[in-house]
Each structure stands twice: as structure tokens, then as C-alpha cells.
Amino acid sequence: MATIKELAAYTGLSPSTVSIVLGGKAEERGIPQATCQRVLEAARVLGYRPNLSARRLRDPQASGGLVIAVFWAQDFRAPMMVRFLRGLRRAVAEQGEGYELLIHPYTCGRLREERSLVSLSAFNAAIICNASAEDLEWLEQARLMMPVVLYNRESPSYCGVTVDDEEIGALAAQQFAAHRCRRAAVLSADSVFYGMQLRNDSFVKTCRQLGIAVGPVIQRENSMAGGCGAVSALLENSQARPDCVFCASDALALGALRGLHQQGISLPEALKIISVGNGDREAQQYAWPSLSVVSVPMEEMAQECFRLLLRLIAGEIRPPFGRRMEVRYLPGESCPPVE
Amino acid sequence: MATIKELAAYTGLSPSTVSIVLGGKAEERGIPQATCQRVLEAARVLGYRPNLSARRLRDPQASGGLVIAVFWAQDFRAPMMVRFLRGLRRAVAEQGEGYELLIHPYTCGRLREERSLVSLSAFNAAIICNASAEDLEWLEQARLMMPVVLYNRESPSYCGVTVDDEEIGALAAQQFAAHRCRRAAVLSADSVFYGMQLRNDSFVKTCRQLGIAVGPVIQRENSMAGGCGAVSALLENSQARPDCVFCASDALALGALRGLHQQGISLPEALKIISVGNGDREAQQYAWPSLSVVSVPMEEMAQECFRLLLRLIAGEIRPPFGRRMEVRYLPGESCPPVE
DNA sequence: CTGAAAGCGCTTACAG
DNA sequence: CTGAAAGCGCTTACAG
């Protein structure tokens, strides 16, 4: 990478002059066109690219801000990222700017390969989302110097923001019980995330406590395709068809909705659905029928991640320090309110 | 903001020692616990935050990379951002990393307030998305030094990646004509974007050419709520009900789908729908009925933005230099293929 | 119109 | 175990 010094040597000018031209201040400094041409030409030929760190170091305005990296696992569903970023933006706005958000995609299970988490010179702090069990394991032993907050994960040595996973499953089961459902099914996702297991287990356990039998527990790819394809498996056993289904994600539930339409099953009469609400709220509400969900407050969780990170940086808290957010049941037509 | 020098003064140690402790290298350098405590305590008390630019400047690894800001207007629909980022990530991966993506939200019409576009020290280059007419106007006269590519906008002085907006409207009209539709409606959005107008105008014009009457042209908020609420207005005139509708966005179309279900209108028999496909592909496919769309290739457009930006930086191209991407009709159940 | 010098905040050989 | 010095690449007074 060419530097200004090299451009100066190449053109026979001084670094000052080169810098002035490159900064677009040639005119106000009365530097003739010809000199500009020489500099610009040299920049092109030598492939000059300004070093941003050096520029920023000189500029108190640009130098001060906190750079916060958001590690987002690539394979996670897109609407979740949207909601997360929305919450983060709110949190940033609340603090009055001066923060830079760096989106850093990574691959689940390969967080250890992200050297930037160790280097200390890539960003000031990080929010790590969707870490897998392996990733968490690495984090434990790595003991990063960098301030880190985990989104939706718990750890003995880091700060984290979580939800009550067991409550999610329990709330759904309670709703079904209120409707006097008799037989429940679970539509879950292939997952690297232990929280999902907790939700399912809690749903099943609560069903049993409330006298609801639990029929098939099905695992599919976490997508609408997965949810749609699962419908036949769900209804396979015609003796013991479920009258209610707990879905691990919006995507699965929306896919299932389509599958059920195709089969001519009418909701909520023949079957009730409650999903974990981790997708776009509007898509839940304008589905046909609209989805009943136990909503994961992702925006608030993101906001809280940011707040925790700031307090961590300020030394006001020390890891581990967790915050657990409330979940809420939002009824829709797929499991209407009981009057 | 405290610096290492100040910490040194405060603790009575040298900057070197402070730096070593703060860098987590106390142990390997044999610095005693007590000294570490002193430094860490001072950092907390004085509110020390490492200056990232300075750190990066020292670290050739961290210093070299290109920092690219993505200006995304806040009010634009979320799924669009997802698709855009997906394409961008692909483009980055294709180049083999070394690039930092900075997400920079802004408010439509207020791009001029973004000082970082002028400062030259905030990032190396920018992709500007969803600029309004006012924003474009400002860009024209600002003549930024920074390399910039516009997403889905044309400009006499900047590079841009666009689609053929007229083709979008025309393709939809042609499909309806193939189905022998007689009366078309348009469900459009309140918009700051002239391209949307081009699409609608072209749809209307092509309809007329093909002998399709054009009924109500309705404008609503660009959301599912808007689309759903528009249905009654769409069907208002029972003498001259449309038998096909062109929707300006996925969100509007999905909302309309729900509204039509509520009214008991059966698709595609009673009404056909084609939407501009600017949302999540899976949501289009798993809607009931699945949506026919003229797809805007947002991922490819994002990828092309990135490529153009790199070539711009390398001096291989000069603004204005535009790329226009192809649109494609993807049939779904809301307007099935004609056999 | 152009250049020599200082300095942004940090880290890392190197010396003691 | 700790410190003095150099230098990363850049820009900006200042001097000529």
C-alpha cells in the first residue's frame, strides 16, 4: 500500500503538498492544476489508498467515538437481524450518537477464528449474537480483554442478555390448556442453540402437568420451507391428530400455515398454533390467520446489550452480569383469546 | 478522554508500562499484580478508553483495510436491507475479506446533515441507498471527494446501480394481458422515489396498449397494514371491479392478500396479483397464494455496488458510470403461468 | 506556491 | 521489573 511519503518521492513534491491535493484543498491553497494532475496521476499509478486510522488520529472528531462490533452468525434468519439492529439503533440514538456499529458476520461454531476479537485494535467492544455451544466454550477459555456482551446466551465469565426460555414454553402450554386442547405437537428446528431445547422441554412438561398429551415432536430446517414440509408429518397419525402445535419460530409457523391451507385444514377450529415470536411482527399480524406468538423482545434485548456494554466499558459493572428480559404472549387468530 | 500519557502521569509509571498492562501483557512481561491494580484503577477513575485509530495505526493488519459505509435510510422496509446486506456480504467474500462494513442509518431527505460524507476521515468510501430527490440534489452540488456509489439511483456525477423501472411495469401488464384481464388496478406507496412512479406509469401505459382498462390507482403507506387497508378501496366500485392488481411492493401485496381473504375473494380466479418483488423471497413463495412478482435483483445490485466501488477506488472507472441490472418475472399462484 | 516540523495516541523493540 | 525513544501515516500551522 502506497503512502503519502511515497507519492511525494514519486512526484518530487513534499508530503504536505501531496496531502493538500488529496484532501481536496488544492484550490484554496492556490496549488496549480498541473501539480494536482501530477499528484492524482501518481496516486492512481501507485494505487494509493488513504490510511483511515492515520486520518482519524489527526481528527479529534473522528477519533473519539466508540467502535462496536456486532458479531452476527450468517446462518441465522434475516428478520431476526433486522429486529436486533432496530433495537441497537434505538439504543445508540438514546445515547446521542458518537458510536460506530460494525457488522461482523461469522460462521456459527467458528468464532475462535475471528482474530479481531483478540487483537484489541479492530474495535472497542463487541456484542456477540447467536453463539453456538462451541463458540461459548472457546469464549470461556479465551477470557477476552475486550468488553463483550452476549446476546441471548448465558456465561459464567461474560455479560449477557437473555429471556426466560422456560417461560416461553410454559406460556404456550397454558394457552392451549385454556382452550381445552387435548393433544399437542411440537414443530422445532435443527438447532445449535440450547435455549430452544429449554423452550420445548418446558412446553412438553407444562402440557403434561395440565393434562395435554404430547404427540409428535418434529424437527425441521428453520425456514418456511421446513415448516410447510412438516405438515404432513404432523398430521400423519390420523388416530391421534394434534389439536394444537407449538412452533419454535415464526418462519416454521408461517410455512406450516401454508401447508395447512394446502391440506384444507381450517385454523383455529381444527388446529391451534402458537409460535415463538422471533420474526417480523407485521408478518405475524398479517398472516392468514394471524399468528399467536410468545414474543421474544429482541429490540429491547438489543437495546439492553448496548446499555450493558457501555456500563461495562465505564467500569460500572463487571462480568458476569446478566439481564433477563420478560416475554409476552400476543394472541392472534391462530389461537384466539379465550373469552 | 483520558490518554495513556495521562494514566502514566496519574500513576507515576511510564506510558510503556501502562500500555503493557492495558494490552493484557502484564504477565508475560513480569509486571507485578500491584502495578496492574494501580493502572486498572486509574483507567477506571479517569474514564480511559483506548483510541482505536492510534492502535490501528500501529497494527499493519488492522490499518490496511478499506472501510466502507453503507448509508441506509431508516424508514425503508427492513427486508430490503436484509437482501441488500446479503448481496454485499457475498461481494465482500468474493474479494477475500479485508473490508469493513459500517452501517450508517440516515433519515431520508437529510443526507446533507451527514458530515462524515464530507470529512474524509470517517471511512474510505460509501454506498448510498434510498436517497430521496432532495438528497440527490445535495449530492450533485456537493461533489464529494469520497468515492460513492448510489444504489438504485441515477446521477450525472456519481456512479450508480439501477434496474429498468419501466420494464418492471411493462412485464406485469404483459402477464395480465396474457391472462386476458380486462381491468387493472394499481396499489402503490407513498414514495419519495421517482422509480416507483416510472414503474406505475409504465404499467398503466402498457395496459392501455394491450387493451386493459385501468381502474383505481391507490396510494397507501408502504406496509402490510397499508396493503390490507387498501382492499376495500380497491373493490369499492362494484360495477367496474378490477380483475388484476399491480402492487408496488411485497409488503403491500402481502397485506392485500390478507384483506382479500377477509373479504372472501378467491385468488387467482376472481383477482390476479403481481407485485414488485423487493422483499423476502421465501415470504413470497410461502404466502397463500404464493405471490407472482417482478423481482428486483437486490442482492446482485448490492454486489455490483461493491464491485463498482472497488473499481472506482482503483481508478479504473470514473463517475458517472452506471450499471443497469435485469429484472425477472417469477410466477406464483397469485398469477399463475399461462399454459 | 511549496516544504520542514510537530504531533495525534499508541506499542514495541531496546536498554538498563 | 520499568522507562526513553522511535515511528505507524497523516494534516496543519508556520515559515519562506
Side-chain angles (χ1 to χ4, degrees):
Chain A
M1 194 59 52
T3 67
I4 281 200
K5 223 193 268 182
E6 298 177 57
L7 294 195
Y10 184 87
T11 53
L13 294 162
S14 77
S16 316
T17 308
V18 174
S19 169
I20 289 163
V21 172
L22 258 23
K25 306 200 167 147
E27 203 152 351
E28 68 188 63
R29 297 291 298 265
I31 290 175
Q33 277 291 328
T35 308
C36 288
Q37 295 300 331
R38 261 202 293 164
V39 171
L40 262 17
E41 173 65 9
R44 221 179 44 71
V45 171
L46 300 185
Y48 172 76
R49 282 185 343 198
N51 183 312
L52 211 59
S53 307
R55 276 192 175 162
R56 283 179 172 174
L57 187 53
R58 291 275 327 208
D59 179 0
Q61 187 91 49
S63 194
L66 270 180
V67 181
I68 295 174
V70 177
F71 280 79
W72 189 268
Q74 308 196 323
D75 36 352
F76 264 71
R77 299 208 51 82
M80 295 179 55
M81 184 170 81
V82 170
R83 290 188 57 187
F84 187 84
L85 289 181
R86 190 184 298 148
L88 218 49
R89 220 176 47 204
R90 259 186 232 156
V92 169
E94 165 186 288
Q95 295 300 324
E97 307 301 329
Y99 300 92
E100 255 173 43
L101 293 184
L102 219 59
I103 306 298
H104 201 116
Y106 77 100
T107 306
C108 244
R110 301 196 165 199
L111 197 62
R112 51 167 25 94
E113 293 170 17
E114 300 297 336
R115 294 289 327 276
S116 58
L117 273 171
V118 181
S119 95
L120 249 34
S121 60
F123 32 79
N124 292 295
I127 299 176
I128 299 179
C129 304
N130 313 326
S132 73
E134 286 161 275
D135 296 328
L136 287 173
E137 202 179 302
W138 173 71
L139 282 170
E140 285 319 319
Q141 62 92 59
R143 298 275 172 161
L144 303 181
M145 285 294 288
M146 166 118 39
V148 162
V149 172
L150 304 177
Y151 169 72
N152 207 13
R153 297 293 184 272
E154 265 172 347
S155 151
S157 33
Y158 293 94
C159 291
V161 176
T162 55
V163 287
D164 188 339
D165 289 303
E166 304 196 341
E167 177 79 356
I168 292 175
L171 275 178
Q174 284 158 17
Q175 289 297 324
F176 289 146
H179 276 282
R180 313 213 170 285
C181 292
R182 310 297 301 271
R183 182 167 200 87
V186 177
L187 177 44
S188 184
D190 305 326
S191 169
V192 283
F193 169 42
Y194 71 92
M196 196 176 277
Q197 197 54 51
L198 291 182
R199 295 169 191 176
N200 294 347
D201 291 350
S202 159
F203 175 75
V204 170
K205 190 179 123 204
T206 312
C207 278
R208 297 238 163 90
Q209 285 169 356
L210 297 170
I212 303 176
V214 179
V217 175
I218 298 175
Q219 292 233 350
R220 286 292 185 279
E221 183 200 63
N222 187 16
S223 66
M224 295 189 197
C228 186
V231 165
S232 50
L234 218 51
L235 305 176
E236 200 167 27
N237 185 341
S238 52
Q239 328 306 21
R241 280 201 176 176
D243 53 11
C244 59
V245 181
F246 175 60
C247 291
S249 79
D250 280 34
L252 284 168
L254 292 171
L257 240 41
R258 182 181 159 90
L260 292 163
H261 277 126
Q262 285 174 321
Q263 305 261 342
I265 310 275
S266 69
L267 274 65
E269 298 77 16
L271 192 73
K272 294 179 181 48
I273 289 187
I274 295 179
S275 175
V276 175
N278 56 4
D280 180 38
R281 179 76 187 125
E282 205 179 29
Q284 294 161 10
Q285 293 179 297
Y286 287 86
W288 181 255
S290 63
L291 278 183
S292 300
V293 298
V294 183
S295 178
V296 178
M298 306 178 57
E299 290 86 349
E300 291 156 46
M301 290 171 75
Q303 221 168 335
E304 195 59 29
C305 281
F306 187 75
R307 291 203 199 103
L308 242 46
L309 203 53
L310 291 193
R311 294 177 63 193
L312 196 55
I313 291 169
E316 290 170 28
I317 57 174
R318 254 177 235 292
F321 181 97
R323 278 273 288 150
R324 169 153 291 191
M325 312 297 285
E326 295 284 313
V327 298
R328 277 207 308 157
Y329 177 65
L330 305 175
E333 295 156 350
S334 73
C335 182
V338 186
E339 60 264 14
Chain B
M1 195 58 52
T3 68
I4 281 201
K5 224 193 269 182
E6 298 177 57
L7 293 195
Y10 184 86
T11 54
L13 294 162
S14 77
S16 319
T17 308
V18 173
S19 169
I20 290 164
V21 171
L22 258 22
K25 304 198 169 149
E27 202 153 353
E28 69 187 63
R29 297 291 299 267
I31 290 175
Q33 277 292 328
T35 309
C36 288
Q37 295 301 332
R38 261 202 294 165
V39 171
L40 263 16
E41 173 64 10
R44 221 178 46 70
V45 171
L46 301 185
Y48 173 75
R49 281 183 348 195
N51 183 312
L52 211 59
S53 306
R55 277 192 174 161
R56 283 179 172 173
L57 187 53
R58 291 274 329 208
D59 178 0
Q61 187 90 49
S63 192
L66 271 180
V67 180
I68 295 174
V70 178
F71 280 78
W72 189 269
Q74 309 195 322
D75 36 353
F76 265 71
R77 299 207 52 81
M80 297 179 54
M81 184 170 83
V82 170
R83 290 187 59 187
F84 187 85
L85 289 181
R86 191 184 296 148
L88 218 50
R89 221 177 45 205
R90 261 187 229 154
V92 169
E94 166 186 290
Q95 296 300 325
E97 306 302 327
Y99 300 92
E100 253 173 43
L101 292 185
L102 219 59
I103 307 298
H104 200 117
Y106 77 100
T107 306
C108 244
R110 301 196 165 200
L111 197 62
R112 50 167 28 96
E113 292 170 17
E114 300 298 334
R115 295 289 327 277
S116 58
L117 274 171
V118 181
S119 94
L120 249 35
S121 60
F123 33 79
N124 292 294
I127 300 176
I128 299 178
C129 304
N130 313 326
S132 73
E134 286 161 275
D135 295 329
L136 287 173
E137 203 179 302
W138 173 72
L139 282 169
E140 286 320 320
Q141 62 91 55
R143 298 278 173 160
L144 303 180
M145 286 293 288
M146 165 119 37
V148 162
V149 173
L150 304 177
Y151 169 72
N152 207 14
R153 298 291 184 274
E154 267 173 343
S155 152
S157 34
Y158 293 94
C159 291
V161 177
T162 55
V163 287
D164 188 339
D165 289 303
E166 303 194 343
E167 177 79 355
I168 292 176
L171 275 178
Q174 284 157 18
Q175 288 297 323
F176 288 146
H179 276 283
R180 312 213 172 286
C181 291
R182 311 298 301 271
R183 181 165 201 88
V186 177
L187 176 44
S188 183
D190 305 325
S191 170
V192 283
F193 170 44
Y194 70 93
M196 195 175 277
Q197 197 54 53
L198 290 182
R199 295 168 190 176
N200 293 346
D201 290 351
S202 160
F203 175 75
V204 170
K205 190 178 124 205
T206 312
C207 278
R208 298 240 163 89
Q209 285 169 356
L210 298 170
I212 302 176
V214 179
V217 175
I218 298 176
Q219 293 232 352
R220 285 292 184 280
E221 184 200 63
N222 186 16
S223 66
M224 295 189 196
C228 185
V231 166
S232 51
L234 218 52
L235 306 176
E236 200 168 27
N237 185 343
S238 51
Q239 327 308 19
R241 279 202 176 175
D243 53 11
C244 60
V245 180
F246 175 59
C247 290
S249 80
D250 280 34
L252 284 169
L254 292 171
L257 241 42
R258 182 181 159 89
L260 292 163
H261 277 126
Q262 284 175 320
Q263 305 261 342
I265 310 274
S266 69
L267 275 65
E269 299 77 17
L271 192 72
K272 294 179 181 47
I273 289 187
I274 295 179
S275 176
V276 175
N278 56 4
D280 180 40
R281 178 76 187 125
E282 205 179 29
Q284 293 161 11
Q285 292 179 298
Y286 287 86
W288 182 255
S290 64
L291 278 183
S292 300
V293 298
V294 182
S295 178
V296 178
M298 306 177 57
E299 290 86 349
E300 291 155 48
M301 289 172 75
Q303 221 167 336
E304 194 60 29
C305 281
F306 187 76
R307 291 201 199 104
L308 241 46
L309 203 53
L310 291 193
R311 294 177 63 194
L312 196 55
I313 291 169
E316 291 169 29
I317 57 174
R318 254 178 236 292
F321 181 97
R323 279 272 288 148
R324 169 153 291 191
M325 313 296 285
E326 296 283 314
V327 297
R328 277 207 309 157
Y329 177 65
L330 306 175
E333 295 156 350
S334 73
C335 183
V338 184
E339 59 261 20

